[in-house]
Amino acid sequence: MPVIAMWAHPRALSTAFLRMMIARGDVTVVHEPLVTLVDEGHVELPTADGGTVTVTDAAEVVAHLKELGRDRTVFVKDTLEYRYRHLFADPEAIADVTHTFIVRDPARTISSHYAIKPTVTCPEIGYEHQWELFDLVSRTARRPPVVMRAEDLLRHPGQTVAAWCEAVGLPFLPEALNWAPGERAEWQRTRKWHLDVERTSGFSPVEKSFETTVANNDTLRSYHDHHQPFYQRLIRHAISIGEDS
């Protein structure tokens, strides 16, 4: 069974995608183990028998996920506000992973990120780290990486998820496109980042405006100017969905 990774910059709609993967019911879902490890110094991971194990090292995280994948397909989602050095130091360890990336227009995500974390730094926006990892796995992984645009997921959820499933070798389960809203234990540690998805029951745009944006704040504009080229490189590889992709 494979390990399928989704690598996201923060505020990319990745938790909604993870919520859909939970709704499938046929994969083991792991929420942000590497960012949790960096933030907390340890992370609790599920075991094949339904329990948990505490892991304190990035190499152990990767090894444990691959071991889980022996019994059942594993879907792991992580965010790239950090550059996880272990992945670059030992790319062979993740060469058998199916790597996917979700990207969203930086203008919106930077404003959204700032609204939750006003101390956000430029590297934490994440697109540069995304591109570096995409470039690494493009050269070293057994299968080519898959890129998905968050905008496509919102406009054409069925088509986009079906195309993603085909690319990673999973059956498309249209019934998983809808789920029960509410809080989940998987993201309790970082709940303030996931309040939007808690209120949803499927992929749908959330009408939201931000007081501070890349249009009226020089610092956020500088973040946007730095990360925009990496975003443009990534979307050149995106799955094509609909006429407006």
Side-chain angles (χ1 to χ4, degrees):
M1 295 292 132
V3 175
I4 302 169
M6 172 165 280
W7 303 106
H9 57 80
R11 315 309 292 157
L13 212 72
S14 61
T15 302
F17 197 90
L18 175 134
R19 183 64 186 86
M20 187 229 18
M21 295 300 290
I22 294 171
R24 289 179 62 98
D26 64 342
V27 299
T28 298
V29 175
V30 181
H31 180 261
E32 299 183 0
L34 293 178
V35 73
T36 300
L37 180 64
V38 173
D39 286 344
E40 303 291 329
H42 59 87
V43 59
E44 298 291 323
L45 298 176
T47 57
D49 62 3
T52 62
V53 61
T54 301
V55 176
T56 59
D57 176 81
E60 289 181 73
V61 171
V62 173
H64 183 76
L65 293 175
K66 290 166 70 175
E67 183 63 28
L68 270 181
R70 293 180 181 275
D71 298 315
R72 193 174 191 231
T73 298
V74 173
F75 173 81
V76 55
K77 185 267 282 194
D78 231 314
T79 52
L80 290 166
E81 54 263 60
Y82 305 123
R83 186 181 189 273
Y84 303 115
R85 289 175 292 178
H86 172 72
L87 305 181
F88 293 86
D90 187 13
E92 182 60 28
I94 57 170
D96 287 328
V97 173
T98 299
H99 297 277
T100 75
F101 296 77
I102 183 169
V103 290
R104 195 174 189 181
D105 181 357
R108 180 173 181 84
T109 64
I110 292 170
S111 301
S112 177
H113 199 145
Y114 179 84
I116 297 175
K117 185 182 179 181
T119 59
V120 61
T121 64
C122 188
E124 291 174 321
I125 298 300
Y127 294 88
E128 184 173 11
H129 297 152
Q130 252 193 325
W131 170 254
E132 289 175 339
L133 185 57
F134 175 89
D135 181 62
L136 175 74
V137 300
S138 294
R139 293 183 282 106
T140 59
R142 311 279 189 260
R143 290 174 290 279
V146 179
V147 179
M148 176 175 57
R149 290 176 38 158
E151 290 82 2
D152 287 337
L153 192 56
L154 292 173
R155 289 189 294 244
H156 313 288
Q159 283 180 267
T160 304
V161 173
W164 184 89
C165 288
E166 181 178 6
V168 303
L170 285 178
F172 173 49
L173 303 180
E175 61 271 22
L177 294 174
N178 298 105
W179 54 80
E183 183 181 354
R184 295 286 307 191
E186 288 87 352
W187 60 68
Q188 187 174 32
R189 183 185 76 88
T190 53
R191 182 173 179 246
K192 69 178 182 178
W193 294 90
H194 312 303
L195 297 178
D196 287 343
V197 71
E198 286 187 11
R199 292 189 281 265
T200 65
S201 57
F203 297 112
S204 58
V206 175
E207 293 300 325
K208 221 172 178 185
S209 60
F210 303 100
E211 182 177 347
T212 305
T213 72
V214 300
N216 63 25
N217 182 280
D218 290 342
T219 298
L220 298 192
R221 167 57 65 178
S222 71
Y223 293 177
H224 180 274
D225 291 347
H226 178 84
H227 287 278
Q228 179 72 9
F230 302 109
Y231 166 71
Q232 291 293 339
R233 292 177 197 174
L234 284 161
I235 62 171
R236 290 190 194 113
H237 301 273
I239 299 168
S240 180
I241 304 292
E243 294 179 359
D244 49 358
S245 287

